[in-house]
Amino acid sequence: MTEIKRRVLMDKDAPNRSTAIVNGQSSNVLNWDDVRFSWAYPKYKKMLGNFWTPFEINMGTDVKQFNNLTDEEKKTFKKVIGLLALLDSVQTDYAGKVADYLTDSSLNALMIILAQQEVIHNHSYSYILSSLVSKDEQDRIFDFWRTEPVLEKRNEFVLKGYEQFAENPTIENMLDSIVYDVILEGLFFYSGFSFFYHLAREQKMVATSTMINYINRDEQLHVDLFVKIYKELLEEYPEYDTPERATKVEGIFREAAALEIEWANDVIGNKIDGLDVEDVEDYIYFYANVRCNQLGYERPFEGYRKNPLKWIKAYEDVDLGKTDFFEQKSRQYVKVNVQDNGFDDL
Ligand code: ZN
Ligand code: ZN
């Protein structure tokens, strides 16, 4: 059991560029041109390029449309927002805890930006709900994680993995917690996302789905960052890169997919016109395969190599550097200051 030490605040005798991903030496001074990992600075630029805030998004049309949603759509809408609010809250804190144990100051910096983005995600849920429902209702939705049994089971699954690391920071526990992280950021959001994209495809609640889209885009970068850290850990501690670990991770993904499917049946089921829960299930298997494979392991589910919800692609693959998101045809909303957002310069 290799324990991981916290990064020290300052070390006069250590170099600015750290000597290891964890348990190394680092002065803790951040010079972006003198960091351990060559991917850190490009990642930093990408994360900054994603910057957005809910204030930029006009909820006017969504406010009018919300009352015209079916009761089931409204119910699902609220449940999914309630779920996301919990996940992003926990994620903010987890990112901070991981940051404390990464030796290189640039990785600490990336974790802090990641955590800041999670704060914005939570802000967007408050912003969406305060536009659409009463304060009492908003408070109730933010408490769903306490009262919904399916949700509780699913959250406990991830939290267990996070807590183990928080309470006992060893290499093994950090590796495991990153697997749970990739599940949280790369799988547990996804049936929720599919619901909002489905609404957007029908020209409903487009402002909300725009925020969901931005969150989705952030999460893609977050998953990639954690995957990189996972792989560097295994590189520096190859004794943990074992067939047993592969089997363990694949098992965790199977369990995660089962929980996510249970949740999808609860919130989407066959209640949402035009969105088949069977397709969402396939989408979950597909993403479980993608994420497990990103971490360097076999895909746990035979088949499921292609995204069964093809139309989601258009929403997922938004990259402000390449596509002009605001010109996408399915989007009709007002965004202020499009010209001065600076995205074009990045
Ligand atoms: Zn988030
Ligand atoms: Zn995230």
Side-chain angles (χ1 to χ4, degrees), residues 194-230:
S194 73
F195 170 71
F196 286 107
Y197 295 150
H198 158 73
L199 291 181
R201 191 164 65 137
E202 301 198 328
Q203 299 296 318
K204 292 182 200 163
M205 310 305 286
V206 173
T208 300
S209 101
T210 298
M211 279 181 261
I212 294 293
N213 197 165
Y214 289 166
I215 291 168
N216 193 164
R217 197 184 57 181
D218 290 343
E219 300 305 349
Q220 309 260 56
L221 287 184
H222 299 178
V223 167
D224 179 68
L225 174 58
F226 273 104
V227 166
K228 284 192 162 66
I229 293 171
Y230 188 87

Short mmCIF file of all heavy atoms in Angstrom, two decimals, residues 194-230:
data_model
loop_
_atom_site.label_atom_id
_atom_site.label_comp_id
_atom_site.label_asym_id
_atom_site.label_seq_id
_atom_site.Cartn_x
_atom_site.Cartn_y
_atom_site.Cartn_z
N SER A 194 -29.15 12.99 -22.82
CA SER A 194 -29.94 12.54 -23.98
C SER A 194 -31.36 13.08 -23.90
O SER A 194 -31.96 13.44 -24.91
CB SER A 194 -29.94 11.02 -24.09
OG SER A 194 -30.74 10.44 -23.09
N PHE A 195 -31.89 13.18 -22.69
CA PHE A 195 -33.24 13.72 -22.53
C PHE A 195 -33.32 15.18 -22.99
O PHE A 195 -34.23 15.58 -23.72
CB PHE A 195 -33.69 13.60 -21.06
CG PHE A 195 -34.97 14.35 -20.77
CD1 PHE A 195 -36.18 13.88 -21.25
CD2 PHE A 195 -34.95 15.52 -20.03
CE1 PHE A 195 -37.36 14.58 -21.00
CE2 PHE A 195 -36.11 16.22 -19.76
CZ PHE A 195 -37.33 15.75 -20.25
N PHE A 196 -32.35 15.97 -22.60
CA PHE A 196 -32.37 17.39 -22.98
C PHE A 196 -32.12 17.58 -24.48
O PHE A 196 -32.72 18.44 -25.11
CB PHE A 196 -31.37 18.19 -22.15
CG PHE A 196 -31.85 18.40 -20.74
CD1 PHE A 196 -31.27 17.71 -19.69
CD2 PHE A 196 -32.91 19.24 -20.48
CE1 PHE A 196 -31.73 17.87 -18.39
CE2 PHE A 196 -33.39 19.41 -19.19
CZ PHE A 196 -32.78 18.72 -18.14
N TYR A 197 -31.25 16.75 -25.04
CA TYR A 197 -31.02 16.85 -26.48
C TYR A 197 -32.27 16.44 -27.26
O TYR A 197 -32.57 16.97 -28.31
CB TYR A 197 -29.81 16.00 -26.89
CG TYR A 197 -28.51 16.49 -26.31
CD1 TYR A 197 -27.46 15.61 -26.03
CD2 TYR A 197 -28.31 17.85 -26.04
CE1 TYR A 197 -26.26 16.06 -25.51
CE2 TYR A 197 -27.11 18.29 -25.50
CZ TYR A 197 -26.09 17.39 -25.24
OH TYR A 197 -24.91 17.83 -24.71
N HIS A 198 -32.97 15.46 -26.69
CA HIS A 198 -34.23 15.05 -27.31
C HIS A 198 -35.22 16.23 -27.35
O HIS A 198 -35.85 16.50 -28.36
CB HIS A 198 -34.81 13.87 -26.53
CG HIS A 198 -36.28 13.69 -26.70
ND1 HIS A 198 -36.83 13.19 -27.86
CD2 HIS A 198 -37.33 14.00 -25.88
CE1 HIS A 198 -38.16 13.17 -27.73
NE2 HIS A 198 -38.48 13.65 -26.55
N LEU A 199 -35.33 16.96 -26.25
CA LEU A 199 -36.20 18.13 -26.23
C LEU A 199 -35.74 19.17 -27.25
O LEU A 199 -36.54 19.72 -27.99
CB LEU A 199 -36.24 18.77 -24.82
CG LEU A 199 -36.93 18.01 -23.70
CD1 LEU A 199 -36.87 18.83 -22.42
CD2 LEU A 199 -38.38 17.66 -24.03
N ALA A 200 -34.42 19.40 -27.28
CA ALA A 200 -33.89 20.42 -28.20
C ALA A 200 -34.17 20.04 -29.64
O ALA A 200 -34.48 20.89 -30.47
CB ALA A 200 -32.39 20.58 -27.98
N ARG A 201 -34.10 18.75 -29.92
CA ARG A 201 -34.35 18.27 -31.28
C ARG A 201 -35.79 18.60 -31.70
O ARG A 201 -36.09 18.80 -32.86
CB ARG A 201 -34.13 16.76 -31.33
CG ARG A 201 -34.11 16.20 -32.72
CD ARG A 201 -33.52 14.82 -32.73
NE ARG A 201 -34.35 13.88 -31.99
CZ ARG A 201 -34.63 12.65 -32.40
NH1 ARG A 201 -34.13 12.21 -33.53
NH2 ARG A 201 -35.37 11.85 -31.68
N GLU A 202 -36.66 18.66 -30.70
CA GLU A 202 -38.05 19.03 -30.98
C GLU A 202 -38.28 20.52 -30.77
O GLU A 202 -39.41 20.96 -30.61
CB GLU A 202 -38.97 18.23 -30.07
CG GLU A 202 -38.81 16.74 -30.28
CD GLU A 202 -39.98 15.94 -29.74
OE1 GLU A 202 -40.58 16.38 -28.74
OE2 GLU A 202 -40.28 14.89 -30.33
N GLN A 203 -37.18 21.26 -30.73
CA GLN A 203 -37.24 22.72 -30.56
C GLN A 203 -37.85 23.13 -29.22
O GLN A 203 -38.48 24.17 -29.11
CB GLN A 203 -38.04 23.38 -31.70
CG GLN A 203 -37.45 23.15 -33.08
CD GLN A 203 -36.09 23.79 -33.24
OE1 GLN A 203 -35.87 24.91 -32.80
NE2 GLN A 203 -35.15 23.07 -33.83
N LYS A 204 -37.69 22.27 -28.22
CA LYS A 204 -38.21 22.61 -26.89
C LYS A 204 -37.07 22.86 -25.92
O LYS A 204 -36.09 22.12 -25.92
CB LYS A 204 -39.06 21.45 -26.34
CG LYS A 204 -40.35 21.20 -27.09
CD LYS A 204 -41.04 20.04 -26.36
CE LYS A 204 -42.07 19.35 -27.22
NZ LYS A 204 -42.41 18.03 -26.64
N MET A 205 -37.23 23.85 -25.07
CA MET A 205 -36.28 24.13 -23.99
C MET A 205 -34.83 24.22 -24.51
O MET A 205 -33.90 23.64 -23.96
CB MET A 205 -36.38 23.04 -22.90
CG MET A 205 -37.78 22.76 -22.41
SD MET A 205 -38.67 24.22 -21.82
CE MET A 205 -37.90 24.54 -20.26
N VAL A 206 -34.69 24.99 -25.57
CA VAL A 206 -33.40 25.06 -26.25
C VAL A 206 -32.34 25.80 -25.40
O VAL A 206 -31.16 25.45 -25.42
CB VAL A 206 -33.57 25.70 -27.65
CG1 VAL A 206 -32.23 25.96 -28.30
CG2 VAL A 206 -34.39 24.77 -28.54
N ALA A 207 -32.77 26.79 -24.64
CA ALA A 207 -31.79 27.50 -23.79
C ALA A 207 -31.23 26.54 -22.74
O ALA A 207 -30.01 26.49 -22.51
CB ALA A 207 -32.44 28.70 -23.12
N THR A 208 -32.11 25.76 -22.12
CA THR A 208 -31.65 24.78 -21.14
C THR A 208 -30.69 23.79 -21.80
O THR A 208 -29.61 23.51 -21.26
CB THR A 208 -32.84 24.00 -20.53
OG1 THR A 208 -33.71 24.93 -19.89
CG2 THR A 208 -32.38 22.96 -19.53
N SER A 209 -31.07 23.31 -22.96
CA SER A 209 -30.22 22.30 -23.59
C SER A 209 -28.90 22.90 -24.06
O SER A 209 -27.89 22.20 -24.18
CB SER A 209 -30.96 21.58 -24.71
OG SER A 209 -30.58 22.07 -25.96
N THR A 210 -28.90 24.20 -24.31
CA THR A 210 -27.64 24.86 -24.66
C THR A 210 -26.68 24.79 -23.47
O THR A 210 -25.50 24.47 -23.62
CB THR A 210 -27.89 26.33 -25.03
OG1 THR A 210 -28.73 26.35 -26.18
CG2 THR A 210 -26.59 27.06 -25.34
N MET A 211 -27.21 25.06 -22.28
CA MET A 211 -26.36 24.96 -21.09
C MET A 211 -25.90 23.51 -20.88
O MET A 211 -24.74 23.26 -20.56
CB MET A 211 -27.12 25.47 -19.86
CG MET A 211 -27.08 26.98 -19.78
SD MET A 211 -27.93 27.64 -18.35
CE MET A 211 -29.48 28.08 -19.09
N ILE A 212 -26.82 22.59 -21.09
CA ILE A 212 -26.47 21.17 -20.98
C ILE A 212 -25.35 20.84 -21.97
O ILE A 212 -24.41 20.11 -21.66
CB ILE A 212 -27.71 20.28 -21.22
CG1 ILE A 212 -28.75 20.49 -20.11
CG2 ILE A 212 -27.33 18.81 -21.37
CD1 ILE A 212 -28.34 20.01 -18.72
N ASN A 213 -25.45 21.39 -23.14
CA ASN A 213 -24.45 21.18 -24.17
C ASN A 213 -23.07 21.70 -23.72
O ASN A 213 -22.04 21.04 -23.89
CB ASN A 213 -24.89 21.91 -25.44
CG ASN A 213 -24.15 21.44 -26.67
OD1 ASN A 213 -24.57 21.72 -27.78
ND2 ASN A 213 -23.06 20.73 -26.52
N TYR A 214 -23.07 22.89 -23.13
CA TYR A 214 -21.81 23.45 -22.62
C TYR A 214 -21.24 22.57 -21.51
O TYR A 214 -20.04 22.36 -21.42
CB TYR A 214 -22.04 24.86 -22.07
CG TYR A 214 -22.31 25.92 -23.11
CD1 TYR A 214 -22.82 27.16 -22.74
CD2 TYR A 214 -22.04 25.70 -24.45
CE1 TYR A 214 -23.07 28.15 -23.67
CE2 TYR A 214 -22.28 26.68 -25.39
CZ TYR A 214 -22.80 27.91 -25.00
OH TYR A 214 -23.03 28.87 -25.92
N ILE A 215 -22.15 22.08 -20.67
CA ILE A 215 -21.71 21.22 -19.56
C ILE A 215 -21.12 19.93 -20.14
O ILE A 215 -20.04 19.49 -19.74
CB ILE A 215 -22.90 20.92 -18.61
CG1 ILE A 215 -23.29 22.20 -17.88
CG2 ILE A 215 -22.56 19.79 -17.64
CD1 ILE A 215 -24.61 22.13 -17.13
N ASN A 216 -21.81 19.36 -21.11
CA ASN A 216 -21.35 18.14 -21.80
C ASN A 216 -19.94 18.36 -22.37
O ASN A 216 -19.04 17.52 -22.19
CB ASN A 216 -22.34 17.84 -22.93
CG ASN A 216 -22.18 16.46 -23.54
OD1 ASN A 216 -23.08 15.99 -24.23
ND2 ASN A 216 -21.07 15.79 -23.30
N ARG A 217 -19.75 19.50 -22.99
CA ARG A 217 -18.47 19.83 -23.60
C ARG A 217 -17.37 19.93 -22.53
O ARG A 217 -16.27 19.42 -22.71
CB ARG A 217 -18.63 21.17 -24.31
CG ARG A 217 -17.59 21.51 -25.31
CD ARG A 217 -17.82 22.90 -25.85
NE ARG A 217 -17.86 23.88 -24.77
CZ ARG A 217 -18.08 25.18 -24.93
NH1 ARG A 217 -18.33 25.65 -26.12
NH2 ARG A 217 -18.07 26.00 -23.90
N ASP A 218 -17.69 20.56 -21.41
CA ASP A 218 -16.73 20.62 -20.30
C ASP A 218 -16.40 19.21 -19.80
O ASP A 218 -15.24 18.88 -19.56
CB ASP A 218 -17.30 21.43 -19.12
CG ASP A 218 -17.40 22.92 -19.41
OD1 ASP A 218 -16.77 23.39 -20.38
OD2 ASP A 218 -18.14 23.62 -18.67
N GLU A 219 -17.45 18.41 -19.64
CA GLU A 219 -17.24 17.07 -19.07
C GLU A 219 -16.33 16.21 -19.95
O GLU A 219 -15.56 15.40 -19.46
CB GLU A 219 -18.57 16.34 -18.82
CG GLU A 219 -19.53 17.03 -17.84
CD GLU A 219 -18.94 17.35 -16.47
OE1 GLU A 219 -17.83 16.88 -16.13
OE2 GLU A 219 -19.59 18.11 -15.71
N GLN A 220 -16.44 16.41 -21.27
CA GLN A 220 -15.55 15.65 -22.17
C GLN A 220 -14.08 15.94 -21.84
O GLN A 220 -13.25 15.05 -21.79
CB GLN A 220 -15.77 16.02 -23.64
CG GLN A 220 -17.20 15.98 -24.10
CD GLN A 220 -17.55 14.71 -24.85
OE1 GLN A 220 -17.36 13.63 -24.32
NE2 GLN A 220 -18.06 14.84 -26.05
N LEU A 221 -13.79 17.23 -21.61
CA LEU A 221 -12.41 17.61 -21.27
C LEU A 221 -12.02 17.07 -19.90
O LEU A 221 -10.87 16.66 -19.69
CB LEU A 221 -12.27 19.14 -21.25
CG LEU A 221 -12.27 19.89 -22.58
CD1 LEU A 221 -12.02 21.37 -22.35
CD2 LEU A 221 -11.24 19.33 -23.53
N HIS A 222 -12.97 17.08 -18.97
CA HIS A 222 -12.67 16.58 -17.62
C HIS A 222 -12.32 15.10 -17.65
O HIS A 222 -11.38 14.66 -17.02
CB HIS A 222 -13.87 16.81 -16.68
CG HIS A 222 -14.24 18.25 -16.52
ND1 HIS A 222 -15.30 18.66 -15.75
CD2 HIS A 222 -13.68 19.37 -17.02
CE1 HIS A 222 -15.38 19.99 -15.81
NE2 HIS A 222 -14.41 20.44 -16.57
N VAL A 223 -13.14 14.35 -18.40
CA VAL A 223 -12.89 12.91 -18.50
C VAL A 223 -11.48 12.68 -19.05
O VAL A 223 -10.70 11.90 -18.52
CB VAL A 223 -13.95 12.21 -19.40
CG1 VAL A 223 -13.51 10.80 -19.77
CG2 VAL A 223 -15.30 12.18 -18.71
N ASP A 224 -11.17 13.41 -20.10
CA ASP A 224 -9.86 13.24 -20.73
C ASP A 224 -8.72 13.58 -19.76
O ASP A 224 -7.70 12.89 -19.72
CB ASP A 224 -9.77 14.13 -21.98
CG ASP A 224 -8.43 14.00 -22.67
OD1 ASP A 224 -8.17 12.91 -23.20
OD2 ASP A 224 -7.63 14.96 -22.64
N LEU A 225 -8.91 14.61 -18.96
CA LEU A 225 -7.88 14.99 -17.98
C LEU A 225 -7.66 13.87 -16.96
O LEU A 225 -6.52 13.49 -16.66
CB LEU A 225 -8.27 16.30 -17.28
CG LEU A 225 -7.37 16.76 -16.14
CD1 LEU A 225 -5.92 16.95 -16.59
CD2 LEU A 225 -7.90 18.08 -15.53
N PHE A 226 -8.76 13.34 -16.43
CA PHE A 226 -8.62 12.27 -15.45
C PHE A 226 -8.02 10.99 -16.07
O PHE A 226 -7.25 10.29 -15.42
CB PHE A 226 -9.96 11.97 -14.76
CG PHE A 226 -10.20 12.86 -13.57
CD1 PHE A 226 -11.08 13.92 -13.63
CD2 PHE A 226 -9.50 12.65 -12.38
CE1 PHE A 226 -11.29 14.75 -12.52
CE2 PHE A 226 -9.70 13.46 -11.28
CZ PHE A 226 -10.59 14.52 -11.35
N VAL A 227 -8.40 10.73 -17.31
CA VAL A 227 -7.82 9.56 -18.00
C VAL A 227 -6.30 9.74 -18.11
O VAL A 227 -5.53 8.80 -17.87
CB VAL A 227 -8.47 9.35 -19.39
CG1 VAL A 227 -7.65 8.38 -20.24
CG2 VAL A 227 -9.90 8.84 -19.24
N LYS A 228 -5.87 10.94 -18.44
CA LYS A 228 -4.43 11.20 -18.56
C LYS A 228 -3.72 10.98 -17.22
O LYS A 228 -2.64 10.38 -17.15
CB LYS A 228 -4.18 12.63 -19.05
CG LYS A 228 -4.45 12.80 -20.54
CD LYS A 228 -3.91 14.13 -21.03
CE LYS A 228 -3.75 14.16 -22.54
NZ LYS A 228 -5.01 14.07 -23.28
N ILE A 229 -4.33 11.47 -16.16
CA ILE A 229 -3.73 11.30 -14.83
C ILE A 229 -3.67 9.81 -14.47
O ILE A 229 -2.66 9.33 -13.95
CB ILE A 229 -4.52 12.12 -13.78
CG1 ILE A 229 -4.32 13.62 -14.06
CG2 ILE A 229 -4.07 11.77 -12.35
CD1 ILE A 229 -5.21 14.54 -13.24
N TYR A 230 -4.73 9.10 -14.78
CA TYR A 230 -4.78 7.65 -14.52
C TYR A 230 -3.62 6.94 -15.21
O TYR A 230 -2.90 6.15 -14.62
CB TYR A 230 -6.12 7.11 -15.03
CG TYR A 230 -6.41 5.67 -14.68
CD1 TYR A 230 -7.01 5.34 -13.47
CD2 TYR A 230 -6.10 4.63 -15.55
CE1 TYR A 230 -7.30 4.03 -13.14
CE2 TYR A 230 -6.38 3.31 -15.22
CZ TYR A 230 -6.97 3.02 -14.01
OH TYR A 230 -7.25 1.71 -13.68
#
